[in-house]
Amino acid sequence: MRGSFVRAAVIYGAGDVRVEHLPDPVIKEPTDALVRVVRACVCGSDLHPYHSKPASERASTIGHEFVGVVEETGSQVTTLSMGDFVIAPFAISDNTCDFCREGLHTACRAGGFWNSGDVGGGQAEAVRVPLADGTLVKAGVGEDSDLLPSLLTLSDVFLTGHHAAVMGGVSPRTTVAVVGDGAVGLSAVLAAKRLGAERIILMGRHKVRTDLGVEWGATDVVAERGAEGIEAVRELTGGDGAHAVLEAVGYRDAYDMAVGVVRAGGVISRVGVPQYEEAPIGFGSLFGRNVRLAGGPAPVRAYIEELLPEVLDGRIEPGRVFDRTVALDDIADAYRAMDERTSLKVLVQP
Ligand SMILES: [Zn+2]
């Protein structure tokens, strides 16, 4: 058992992730639960502070994807008990307010995010979970389940890909282009296939990754970037482009590529956290061709219950995005490997 301290990953600045002992999380509100983390992972979006966070004397906790076991519940928690295995979405939500009822849990009136205020991060041994009844979803498995990697993807990565496909209006009638062969891009391929897309063009140039994309339903792979990449996708689509472009990168050149490959009347659905504030939206880019812009942080809480059965019965195996596992104490290696692209996505075992 843990003592009065837990080990947790913290970041001091770009390239500087460490594991430190932090005070053991405790129940503060009657709606809280304490969760012992069984598996966590590093997100592509964790690499943004890893690249650019200014150095600081003060450490910030990090990590927002985890699954674990409920250790303790506050007096007002009614749906969870000690020992329940739970999936924690990357956003905290009450699951009852008007935004939550509309399926937009990332805008929950009472909600929030990990690593903010007095809430810690998911790359840790244990976490205090606010609004536990609303936030957590019971998975109905034991902590020795073989399904842990796939269940963990319901915390963020797979459902972010799913959100891209949903916001892109993907259906059997749509041609889809996915920009990016990271874990979210590959998840978007799997999600688009699941929603019936028959033509899925994956834009990426790391063969090991695009091979998994092909297994998951990509019908074409375009390795070229920029104008050449746009030209290649247009050629594959009779010159028209794709109905739904799922942008899973977040950099400005990925947006420009999406504008270049989207079909008139189509949708650009962005789930890569944008690292830019300005981009073309005028007549020549979006307006003149009736192109819509959609996407944003995935309200994964709204999707977990729908997708969980397919993970539990093995119909989908989104956990295949993990290609390496490290102990929490070695988490700096996980960041390095993902940053250097020697790993697609790293599982962390506390
Ligand atoms: Zn809410």
Side-chain angles (χ1 to χ4, degrees):
M1 276 313 285
R2 294 177 282 114
S4 54
F5 292 93
V6 290
R7 287 172 302 129
V10 294
I11 181 165
Y12 280 89
D16 190 0
V17 172
R18 310 177 201 172
V19 173
E20 294 189 343
H21 289 85
L22 301 183
D24 208 354
V26 293
I27 300 273
K28 289 188 175 169
E29 302 290 335
T31 48
D32 287 350
L34 293 184
V35 170
R36 175 171 53 82
V37 176
V38 173
R39 293 288 186 282
C41 57
V42 179
C43 183
S45 68
D46 293 331
L47 295 180
H48 295 314
Y50 186 75
H51 285 144
S52 60
K53 187 178 165 60
S56 166
E57 307 260 292
R58 265 193 52 166
S60 310
T61 59
I62 189 163
H64 56 261
E65 297 169 78
F66 63 97
V67 293
V69 172
V70 174
E71 279 204 333
E72 193 182 336
T73 54
S75 59
Q76 284 174 26
V77 173
T78 59
T79 62
L80 300 164
S81 335
M82 222 175 84
D84 284 342
F85 189 90
V86 290
I87 301 165
F90 72 80
I92 294 157
S93 64
D94 59 13
N95 200 30
T96 56
C97 78
D98 52 341
F99 281 114
C100 285
R101 288 197 308 270
E102 288 168 20
L104 194 62
H105 294 69
T106 45
C108 175
R109 292 187 190 278
F113 294 89
W114 310 110
N115 308 300
S116 114
D118 58 357
V119 182
Q123 292 162 7
E125 281 183 287
V127 184
R128 176 174 80 88
V129 178
L131 302 174
D133 279 327
T135 302
L136 298 172
V137 180
K138 279 192 271 193
V141 300
E143 62 181 288
D144 56 349
S145 167
D146 291 337
L147 298 172
L148 297 189
S150 286
L151 292 169
L152 178 58
T153 68
L154 301 180
S155 191
D156 182 348
V157 58
F158 174 56
L159 295 183
T160 291
H162 176 68
H163 184 58
V166 169
M167 297 302 278
V170 172
S171 78
R173 293 181 308 282
T174 48
T175 297
V176 177
V178 174
V179 181
D181 60 6
V184 174
L186 298 178
S187 296
V189 170
L190 180 61
K193 178 70 180 176
R194 188 186 157 274
L195 291 172
E198 286 172 9
R199 188 81 190 273
I200 303 171
I201 301 164
L202 173 58
M203 303 186 76
R205 55 180 178 175
H206 302 88
K207 189 158 183 310
V208 178
R209 301 177 180 198
T210 57
D211 283 351
L212 180 56
V214 168
E215 235 183 288
W216 275 353
T219 49
D220 306 86
V221 173
V222 168
E224 294 88 353
R225 288 182 161 189
E228 281 179 15
I230 291 168
E231 185 54 39
V233 173
R234 293 206 157 265
E235 247 171 55
L236 288 169
T237 52
D240 291 335
H243 296 101
V245 182
L246 314 183
E247 194 276 277
V249 180
Y251 289 114
R252 172 61 198 279
D253 56 350
Y255 174 85
D256 290 340
M257 212 135 67
V259 170
V261 302
V262 68
R263 177 187 165 104
V267 188
I268 296 171
S269 178
R270 297 181 306 164
V271 290
V273 181
Q275 302 302 300
Y276 54 89
E277 282 298 329
E278 288 178 14
I281 56 166
F283 201 95
S285 51
L286 304 190
F287 184 86
R289 298 189 297 134
N290 275 278
V291 169
R292 285 162 292 145
L293 197 55
V300 302
R301 181 65 182 83
Y303 300 132
I304 293 178
E305 278 133 335
E306 179 191 352
L307 281 292
L308 178 59
E310 296 183 28
V311 169
L312 291 176
D313 70 15
R315 250 178 295 167
I316 51 174
E317 207 183 340
R320 291 182 63 197
V321 292
F322 295 107
D323 56 356
R324 185 174 171 188
T325 301
V326 303
L328 178 61
D329 286 331
D330 299 326
I331 197 165
D333 294 339
Y335 277 83
R336 205 171 304 118
M338 283 176 61
D339 185 39
E340 292 169 353
R341 295 177 189 270
T342 52
S343 284
L344 174 55
K345 192 167 175 76
V346 182
L347 197 65
V348 177
Q349 203 165 343

PDB file of all heavy atoms in Angstrom, residues 105-126:
ATOM      1  N   HIS A 105     -19.717  17.372 -22.650  1.00  0.00           N
ATOM      2  CA  HIS A 105     -19.210  17.316 -21.267  1.00  0.00           C
ATOM      3  C   HIS A 105     -17.962  18.159 -21.056  1.00  0.00           C
ATOM      4  O   HIS A 105     -17.639  18.507 -19.933  1.00  0.00           O
ATOM      5  CB  HIS A 105     -18.915  15.864 -20.890  1.00  0.00           C
ATOM      6  CG  HIS A 105     -20.134  15.002 -20.828  1.00  0.00           C
ATOM      7  ND1 HIS A 105     -20.851  14.657 -21.959  1.00  0.00           N
ATOM      8  CD2 HIS A 105     -20.767  14.414 -19.786  1.00  0.00           C
ATOM      9  CE1 HIS A 105     -21.872  13.898 -21.604  1.00  0.00           C
ATOM     10  NE2 HIS A 105     -21.846  13.730 -20.295  1.00  0.00           N
ATOM     11  N   THR A 106     -17.255  18.487 -22.122  1.00  0.00           N
ATOM     12  CA  THR A 106     -16.069  19.337 -21.975  1.00  0.00           C
ATOM     13  C   THR A 106     -16.460  20.778 -21.638  1.00  0.00           C
ATOM     14  O   THR A 106     -15.595  21.582 -21.288  1.00  0.00           O
ATOM     15  CB  THR A 106     -15.227  19.324 -23.261  1.00  0.00           C
ATOM     16  OG1 THR A 106     -16.113  19.478 -24.379  1.00  0.00           O
ATOM     17  CG2 THR A 106     -14.451  18.031 -23.399  1.00  0.00           C
ATOM     18  N   ALA A 107     -17.742  21.111 -21.765  1.00  0.00           N
ATOM     19  CA  ALA A 107     -18.220  22.452 -21.398  1.00  0.00           C
ATOM     20  C   ALA A 107     -19.079  22.397 -20.143  1.00  0.00           C
ATOM     21  O   ALA A 107     -19.816  23.350 -19.853  1.00  0.00           O
ATOM     22  CB  ALA A 107     -19.015  23.059 -22.561  1.00  0.00           C
ATOM     23  N   CYS A 108     -18.986  21.313 -19.388  1.00  0.00           N
ATOM     24  CA  CYS A 108     -19.813  21.138 -18.182  1.00  0.00           C
ATOM     25  C   CYS A 108     -19.735  22.374 -17.281  1.00  0.00           C
ATOM     26  O   CYS A 108     -18.651  22.875 -17.006  1.00  0.00           O
ATOM     27  CB  CYS A 108     -19.353  19.904 -17.415  1.00  0.00           C
ATOM     28  SG  CYS A 108     -20.208  19.693 -15.838  1.00  0.00           S
ATOM     29  N   ARG A 109     -20.893  22.824 -16.801  1.00  0.00           N
ATOM     30  CA  ARG A 109     -20.939  24.030 -15.958  1.00  0.00           C
ATOM     31  C   ARG A 109     -20.198  23.831 -14.642  1.00  0.00           C
ATOM     32  O   ARG A 109     -19.678  24.779 -14.068  1.00  0.00           O
ATOM     33  CB  ARG A 109     -22.387  24.426 -15.670  1.00  0.00           C
ATOM     34  CG  ARG A 109     -23.098  24.914 -16.903  1.00  0.00           C
ATOM     35  CD  ARG A 109     -24.476  25.474 -16.611  1.00  0.00           C
ATOM     36  NE  ARG A 109     -25.189  25.697 -17.873  1.00  0.00           N
ATOM     37  CZ  ARG A 109     -25.020  26.795 -18.636  1.00  0.00           C
ATOM     38  NH1 ARG A 109     -24.217  27.751 -18.249  1.00  0.00           N
ATOM     39  NH2 ARG A 109     -25.669  26.903 -19.777  1.00  0.00           N
ATOM     40  N   ALA A 110     -20.169  22.597 -14.158  1.00  0.00           N
ATOM     41  CA  ALA A 110     -19.506  22.344 -12.873  1.00  0.00           C
ATOM     42  C   ALA A 110     -18.148  21.675 -13.079  1.00  0.00           C
ATOM     43  O   ALA A 110     -17.433  21.413 -12.116  1.00  0.00           O
ATOM     44  CB  ALA A 110     -20.392  21.437 -12.013  1.00  0.00           C
ATOM     45  N   GLY A 111     -17.797  21.405 -14.324  1.00  0.00           N
ATOM     46  CA  GLY A 111     -16.653  20.531 -14.613  1.00  0.00           C
ATOM     47  C   GLY A 111     -15.309  21.223 -14.576  1.00  0.00           C
ATOM     48  O   GLY A 111     -15.168  22.363 -14.141  1.00  0.00           O
ATOM     49  N   GLY A 112     -14.318  20.513 -15.056  1.00  0.00           N
ATOM     50  CA  GLY A 112     -12.962  21.041 -15.075  1.00  0.00           C
ATOM     51  C   GLY A 112     -12.026  20.012 -15.670  1.00  0.00           C
ATOM     52  O   GLY A 112     -12.469  19.054 -16.313  1.00  0.00           O
ATOM     53  N   PHE A 113     -10.750  20.206 -15.438  1.00  0.00           N
ATOM     54  CA  PHE A 113      -9.745  19.348 -16.055  1.00  0.00           C
ATOM     55  C   PHE A 113      -8.705  18.925 -15.025  1.00  0.00           C
ATOM     56  O   PHE A 113      -8.529  19.589 -14.001  1.00  0.00           O
ATOM     57  CB  PHE A 113      -9.086  20.074 -17.238  1.00  0.00           C
ATOM     58  CG  PHE A 113     -10.065  20.317 -18.362  1.00  0.00           C
ATOM     59  CD1 PHE A 113     -10.826  21.480 -18.398  1.00  0.00           C
ATOM     60  CD2 PHE A 113     -10.258  19.368 -19.348  1.00  0.00           C
ATOM     61  CE1 PHE A 113     -11.765  21.691 -19.409  1.00  0.00           C
ATOM     62  CE2 PHE A 113     -11.187  19.562 -20.370  1.00  0.00           C
ATOM     63  CZ  PHE A 113     -11.931  20.735 -20.394  1.00  0.00           C
ATOM     64  N   TRP A 114      -8.045  17.828 -15.298  1.00  0.00           N
ATOM     65  CA  TRP A 114      -6.950  17.380 -14.440  1.00  0.00           C
ATOM     66  C   TRP A 114      -5.845  18.431 -14.460  1.00  0.00           C
ATOM     67  O   TRP A 114      -5.744  19.221 -15.401  1.00  0.00           O
ATOM     68  CB  TRP A 114      -6.398  16.022 -14.929  1.00  0.00           C
ATOM     69  CG  TRP A 114      -7.499  15.037 -15.139  1.00  0.00           C
ATOM     70  CD1 TRP A 114      -7.953  14.551 -16.322  1.00  0.00           C
ATOM     71  CD2 TRP A 114      -8.334  14.433 -14.127  1.00  0.00           C
ATOM     72  NE1 TRP A 114      -9.021  13.700 -16.116  1.00  0.00           N
ATOM     73  CE2 TRP A 114      -9.272  13.608 -14.785  1.00  0.00           C
ATOM     74  CE3 TRP A 114      -8.383  14.524 -12.733  1.00  0.00           C
ATOM     75  CZ2 TRP A 114     -10.238  12.874 -14.096  1.00  0.00           C
ATOM     76  CZ3 TRP A 114      -9.344  13.792 -12.054  1.00  0.00           C
ATOM     77  CH2 TRP A 114     -10.256  12.983 -12.720  1.00  0.00           C
ATOM     78  N   ASN A 115      -4.987  18.406 -13.451  1.00  0.00           N
ATOM     79  CA  ASN A 115      -3.844  19.334 -13.385  1.00  0.00           C
ATOM     80  C   ASN A 115      -4.290  20.790 -13.325  1.00  0.00           C
ATOM     81  O   ASN A 115      -3.657  21.661 -13.918  1.00  0.00           O
ATOM     82  CB  ASN A 115      -2.915  19.140 -14.597  1.00  0.00           C
ATOM     83  CG  ASN A 115      -2.517  17.699 -14.761  1.00  0.00           C
ATOM     84  OD1 ASN A 115      -1.906  17.122 -13.871  1.00  0.00           O
ATOM     85  ND2 ASN A 115      -2.880  17.078 -15.871  1.00  0.00           N
ATOM     86  N   SER A 116      -5.411  21.028 -12.664  1.00  0.00           N
ATOM     87  CA  SER A 116      -5.812  22.423 -12.527  1.00  0.00           C
ATOM     88  C   SER A 116      -6.377  22.618 -11.119  1.00  0.00           C
ATOM     89  O   SER A 116      -7.041  21.726 -10.578  1.00  0.00           O
ATOM     90  CB  SER A 116      -6.787  22.790 -13.644  1.00  0.00           C
ATOM     91  OG  SER A 116      -8.047  23.066 -13.162  1.00  0.00           O
ATOM     92  N   GLY A 117      -6.058  23.770 -10.533  1.00  0.00           N
ATOM     93  CA  GLY A 117      -6.457  24.014  -9.153  1.00  0.00           C
ATOM     94  C   GLY A 117      -5.832  22.965  -8.249  1.00  0.00           C
ATOM     95  O   GLY A 117      -4.635  22.693  -8.343  1.00  0.00           O
ATOM     96  N   ASP A 118      -6.659  22.352  -7.391  1.00  0.00           N
ATOM     97  CA  ASP A 118      -6.095  21.354  -6.473  1.00  0.00           C
ATOM     98  C   ASP A 118      -6.355  19.928  -6.961  1.00  0.00           C
ATOM     99  O   ASP A 118      -6.356  18.988  -6.186  1.00  0.00           O
ATOM    100  CB  ASP A 118      -6.651  21.560  -5.058  1.00  0.00           C
ATOM    101  CG  ASP A 118      -8.177  21.482  -5.027  1.00  0.00           C
ATOM    102  OD1 ASP A 118      -8.788  21.328  -6.110  1.00  0.00           O
ATOM    103  OD2 ASP A 118      -8.749  21.563  -3.928  1.00  0.00           O
ATOM    104  N   VAL A 119      -6.580  19.780  -8.270  1.00  0.00           N
ATOM    105  CA  VAL A 119      -6.759  18.444  -8.851  1.00  0.00           C
ATOM    106  C   VAL A 119      -5.458  18.040  -9.532  1.00  0.00           C
ATOM    107  O   VAL A 119      -4.897  18.815 -10.315  1.00  0.00           O
ATOM    108  CB  VAL A 119      -7.919  18.434  -9.873  1.00  0.00           C
ATOM    109  CG1 VAL A 119      -8.109  17.028 -10.427  1.00  0.00           C
ATOM    110  CG2 VAL A 119      -9.196  18.941  -9.235  1.00  0.00           C
ATOM    111  N   GLY A 120      -4.983  16.849  -9.232  1.00  0.00           N
ATOM    112  CA  GLY A 120      -3.701  16.384  -9.762  1.00  0.00           C
ATOM    113  C   GLY A 120      -3.831  15.802 -11.161  1.00  0.00           C
ATOM    114  O   GLY A 120      -4.846  15.960 -11.841  1.00  0.00           O
ATOM    115  N   GLY A 121      -2.764  15.122 -11.590  1.00  0.00           N
ATOM    116  CA  GLY A 121      -2.713  14.567 -12.931  1.00  0.00           C
ATOM    117  C   GLY A 121      -2.835  13.058 -12.937  1.00  0.00           C
ATOM    118  O   GLY A 121      -2.728  12.390 -11.897  1.00  0.00           O
ATOM    119  N   GLY A 122      -3.037  12.516 -14.129  1.00  0.00           N
ATOM    120  CA  GLY A 122      -3.273  11.082 -14.268  1.00  0.00           C
ATOM    121  C   GLY A 122      -2.008  10.240 -14.307  1.00  0.00           C
ATOM    122  O   GLY A 122      -2.076   9.024 -14.129  1.00  0.00           O
ATOM    123  N   GLN A 123      -0.870  10.858 -14.556  1.00  0.00           N
ATOM    124  CA  GLN A 123       0.388  10.099 -14.574  1.00  0.00           C
ATOM    125  C   GLN A 123       0.905  10.057 -13.142  1.00  0.00           C
ATOM    126  O   GLN A 123       1.854  10.724 -12.763  1.00  0.00           O
ATOM    127  CB  GLN A 123       1.384  10.743 -15.543  1.00  0.00           C
ATOM    128  CG  GLN A 123       0.931  10.602 -17.005  1.00  0.00           C
ATOM    129  CD  GLN A 123       1.603  11.565 -17.956  1.00  0.00           C
ATOM    130  OE1 GLN A 123       2.526  12.273 -17.572  1.00  0.00           O
ATOM    131  NE2 GLN A 123       1.136  11.600 -19.198  1.00  0.00           N
ATOM    132  N   ALA A 124       0.230   9.257 -12.332  1.00  0.00           N
ATOM    133  CA  ALA A 124       0.491   9.221 -10.893  1.00  0.00           C
ATOM    134  C   ALA A 124      -0.012   7.899 -10.345  1.00  0.00           C
ATOM    135  O   ALA A 124      -0.702   7.159 -11.023  1.00  0.00           O
ATOM    136  CB  ALA A 124      -0.237  10.382 -10.214  1.00  0.00           C
ATOM    137  N   GLU A 125       0.327   7.645  -9.077  1.00  0.00           N
ATOM    138  CA  GLU A 125      -0.169   6.416  -8.444  1.00  0.00           C
ATOM    139  C   GLU A 125      -1.623   6.511  -8.051  1.00  0.00           C
ATOM    140  O   GLU A 125      -2.330   5.498  -7.985  1.00  0.00           O
ATOM    141  CB  GLU A 125       0.651   6.131  -7.178  1.00  0.00           C
ATOM    142  CG  GLU A 125       1.998   5.515  -7.419  1.00  0.00           C
ATOM    143  CD  GLU A 125       2.675   5.214  -6.094  1.00  0.00           C
ATOM    144  OE1 GLU A 125       3.128   6.169  -5.428  1.00  0.00           O
ATOM    145  OE2 GLU A 125       2.724   4.028  -5.727  1.00  0.00           O
ATOM    146  N   ALA A 126      -2.067   7.717  -7.720  1.00  0.00           N
ATOM    147  CA  ALA A 126      -3.443   7.884  -7.268  1.00  0.00           C
ATOM    148  C   ALA A 126      -3.894   9.306  -7.555  1.00  0.00           C
ATOM    149  O   ALA A 126      -3.077  10.229  -7.626  1.00  0.00           O
ATOM    150  CB  ALA A 126      -3.565   7.587  -5.778  1.00  0.00           C
TER     151      ALA A 126
END
